[in-house]
Amino acid sequence: MPAQKTLFICNQCGYETAKWLGRCTACNRFNTLEEKAVRTTPAKIGGASAAFSHSKDASAPTLLRDINLSPTRGQVRKSTGIAELDRVLGGGLVGGSLLLLGGDPGIGKSTLLLQICRHMASEAFPILYISGEESAPQIKLRAKRLDVDPPGLYFLAETDIHAIQDAVKKIKPALLLIDSIQTMRLNELASLPGSVTQVRECTAFFTQLAKAHHTAVLLVGHVTKEGAIAGPRVLEHMVDCVLYFEGEGRDSYRVIRAVKNRFGSTHEIGVFEMGEKGLTVIADPSAYMLAGRPVGVPGSAVTCSLEGSRPLLLEVQGLVSHTHFGTPRRTANGMDYNRMVMLMAVLEKRAGYKLATYDSYVNVAGGLRIEEPAADAAILAAIASCYRNKAIDPAYLILGEVGLAGELRAINQPERRITEAARQGFTACVVPQANKKNIKPPQGVRIFGAAHIGELLGLLL
Ligand code: TYD
Ligand code: MG
């Protein structure tokens, strides 16, 4: 076992001391000393410690073209057996990589882990599931309910990192699941499990473990109430891939989003539904998101957002009603508040809508969050439609970014979005004029170009 000691290091000037001080004696700043575990002898985890030992060979630069990708180290991908998850990961799990799965407590992270095991675990691909939160009988019960009983799945209820290291040496898993990183502890540190120091040091330890044994490690991290503190965010820079599990607690759908991926693209999403038998893939998310859409009601508009390689149809709802207070209320649900306020200002100034005496609400149905400016035109149209009390034809898809002068600006990949809408039975689409000439419309879809929001609203209302 490597000998470790604890040091306090100033995060401003790098000053080291063996004991905690409120004020750094070197730079005189307050509260800058951070606890750190320091290894006093070179680490030796398993047999393959060369990957991070400080031998001469390891630190000598090599020509990039001379580096061989050995089959165990290179980007060998293995399917998780869950197609949606594979796509988010960029084609499967990369051997020896470190993943972080973040999400609110109770969103379904542990459920997903077990479902990954169902397909992946085998004698040739052993998986070690470590839980610091649940006991073996609890996990067994859940596994039974989910019908998960693969060969090669080992379980250990443990929080001590060194005990986990011993188990890894014994079982040599191809994949190590840690549920959750906030319950793990390195005994050399005085601070409590879940503190920033513990969480960081434990992650660093798992990184070395992953490299030494060519084991992929999946860390579960709870998003804590305090937000960033000791939650998954403090670890994002230390891992290869960060996945976030999102969803509204009361809704059954769940979205997995990659926010960082060293082996694939980010912003891919996988859509699931949480049901009695755990998580099931939603094969057609656009249809799912539009289900129950009110037809012929003012204030509803449909746009298409690109989530990674996937186009997703979303319904935007707008509501305006006379305010009873001096200052009107503005509420944005599922989009950036400032963007909503900006769009309303454009509507007021460039199209003459008098919104100052109205409370206004924007909601993205289904609980997803719109991040793309390509949805601007639909948001604006939903508000205008409610204000004018005129419904937008439900066969229309609305695309376009809105500028401060009221101009509709070009968006990327309009054809992919329109094709998705055509698949869902939409027969017309309004796009920015600049996009129109380059679009070959799918059969049965009419394309209208608009250069300004005045033209857009004229077409729709
Ligand atoms: P869990 O995976 O324990 O969440 P996390 O590990 O992210 O804290 O999921 C807990 C929730 O999921 C719980 O509220 C019950 C629900 N659930 C189902 O609806 N169906 C199921 O089959 C399972 C296993 C859980
Ligand atoms: Mg859990």
Side-chain angles (χ1 to χ4, degrees):
M1 201 162 70
Q4 303 230 8
K5 67 174 183 176
T6 308
L7 273 186
F8 293 90
I9 301 174
C10 175
N11 60 20
Q12 298 295 318
C13 70
Y15 174 73
E16 293 179 5
T17 160
K19 133 176 153 221
W20 188 82
L21 300 166
R23 181 182 194 177
C24 173
T25 37
C27 67
N28 290 331
R29 291 191 179 92
F30 287 95
N31 286 330
T32 56
L33 290 174
E34 284 182 4
E35 189 184 14
K36 258 201 147 54
V38 181
R39 196 165 274 116
T40 49
T41 53
K44 269 213 167 23
I45 300 174
S49 57
F52 47 87
S53 75
H54 294 290
S55 76
K56 237 184 188 163
D57 287 354
S59 55
T62 327
L63 277 173
L64 190 63
R65 57 166 63 173
D66 291 343
I67 296 175
N68 286 324
L69 288 181
S70 69
T72 44
R73 276 224 160 165
Q75 295 200 1
V76 192
R77 288 183 190 272
K78 187 169 162 69
S79 165
T80 60
I82 305 172
E84 288 287 286
L85 185 61
D86 282 351
R87 210 204 24 256
V88 176
L89 288 171
L93 186 76
V94 175
S97 63
L98 198 68
L99 286 92
L100 175 67
L101 175 65
D104 290 329
I107 198 97
K109 299 180 294 298
S110 308
T111 308
L112 183 69
L113 292 193
L114 273 179
Q115 290 190 243
I116 292 173
C117 295
R118 176 196 288 153
H119 301 283
M120 290 192 100
S122 65
E123 265 136 36
F125 196 91
I127 298 184
L128 176 56
Y129 187 137
I130 310 279
S131 181
E133 303 189 341
E134 286 157 300
S135 66
Q138 278 175 311
I139 294 284
K140 179 74 191 176
L141 267 178
R142 179 183 293 152
K144 250 181 124 168
R145 212 152 63 75
L146 294 174
D147 242 344
V148 175
D149 188 24
L153 172 57
Y154 296 85
F155 178 79
L156 176 67
E158 185 55 79
T159 57
D160 179 4
I161 293 271
H162 295 298
I164 294 170
Q165 184 188 344
D166 293 341
V168 169
K169 274 187 199 159
K170 211 163 93 197
I171 290 170
K172 301 198 171 48
L175 174 62
L176 176 68
L177 305 173
I178 303 292
D179 190 3
S180 62
I181 188 69
Q182 275 111 346
T183 55
M184 298 296 137
R185 81 196 136 81
L186 197 57
N187 283 336
E188 286 84 348
L189 296 178
S191 47
L192 289 171
S195 64
V196 177
T197 314
Q198 281 280 7
V199 163
R200 274 208 201 128
E201 293 294 320
C202 289
T203 304
F205 195 92
F206 284 123
T207 311
Q208 298 200 343
L209 206 61
K211 290 217 175 97
H213 293 281
H214 299 314
T215 299
V217 180
L218 200 166
L219 305 169
V220 166
H222 293 295
V223 174
T224 49
K225 279 220 183 63
E226 300 81 38
I229 312 294
R233 295 226 68 133
V234 299
L235 306 176
E236 281 182 0
H237 64 287
M238 303 172 76
V239 298
D240 298 313
C241 181
V242 180
L243 307 179
Y244 274 98
F245 215 154
E246 301 167 356
E248 295 286 317
R250 58 205 146 72
D251 283 335
S252 58
Y253 88 90
R254 303 279 184 268
V255 175
I256 295 185
R257 193 184 291 276
V259 297
K260 166 180 172 180
N261 193 351
R262 286 192 181 140
F263 313 110
S265 99
T266 50
H267 305 297
E268 284 288 348
I269 64 164
V271 189
F272 297 87
E273 191 172 13
M274 176 66 97
E276 290 214 337
K277 282 257 156 207
L279 295 157
T280 43
V281 166
I282 297 179
D284 191 351
S286 286
Y288 188 84
M289 289 298 162
L290 293 187
R293 172 164 70 115
V295 172
V297 177
S300 163
V302 176
T303 188
C304 185
S305 164
L306 274 185
E307 303 281 347
S309 63
R310 155 175 281 172
L312 189 62
L313 296 185
L314 293 173
E315 188 206 350
V316 185
Q317 300 183 321
L319 180 72
V320 292
S321 69
H322 264 294
T323 183
H324 299 289
F325 301 100
T327 320
R329 233 187 120 117
R330 308 264 184 260
T331 305
N333 207 349
M335 68 168 295
D336 180 43
Y337 173 80
N338 290 323
R339 190 95 197 161
M340 169 199 175
V341 176
M342 185 206 93
L343 290 172
M344 293 187 59
V346 173
L347 199 55
E348 182 137 16
K349 180 81 182 170
R350 309 287 177 200
Y353 285 62
K354 301 271 172 275
L355 295 165
T357 54
Y358 287 88
D359 288 338
S360 309
Y361 308 87
V362 170
N363 178 41
V364 179
L368 267 192
R369 198 176 162 78
I370 289 182
E371 309 275 0
E372 262 195 314
D376 286 353
I379 295 163
L380 193 127
I383 298 170
S385 157
C386 187
Y387 179 89
R388 300 257 304 266
N389 208 22
K390 272 175 125 173
I392 296 170
D393 185 338
Y396 273 67
L397 176 77
I398 305 163
L399 299 173
E401 176 180 345
V402 174
L404 289 184
E407 81 278 20
L408 276 195
R409 308 179 71 106
I411 58 161
N412 61 1
Q413 309 192 44
E415 271 189 32
R416 288 200 28 218
R417 304 175 200 250
I418 295 168
T419 309
E420 174 74 3
R423 214 171 56 73
Q424 297 293 336
F426 284 73
T427 56
C429 181
V430 189
V431 297
Q433 193 68 45
N435 279 121
K436 191 184 171 211
K437 59 180 181 301
N438 299 323
I439 296 174
K440 277 196 241 61
Q443 212 176 1
V445 179
R446 287 171 302 154
I447 307 288
F448 301 96
H452 190 271
I453 60 167
E455 274 176 64
L456 171 85
L457 298 175
L459 271 165
L460 294 171
L461 302 173

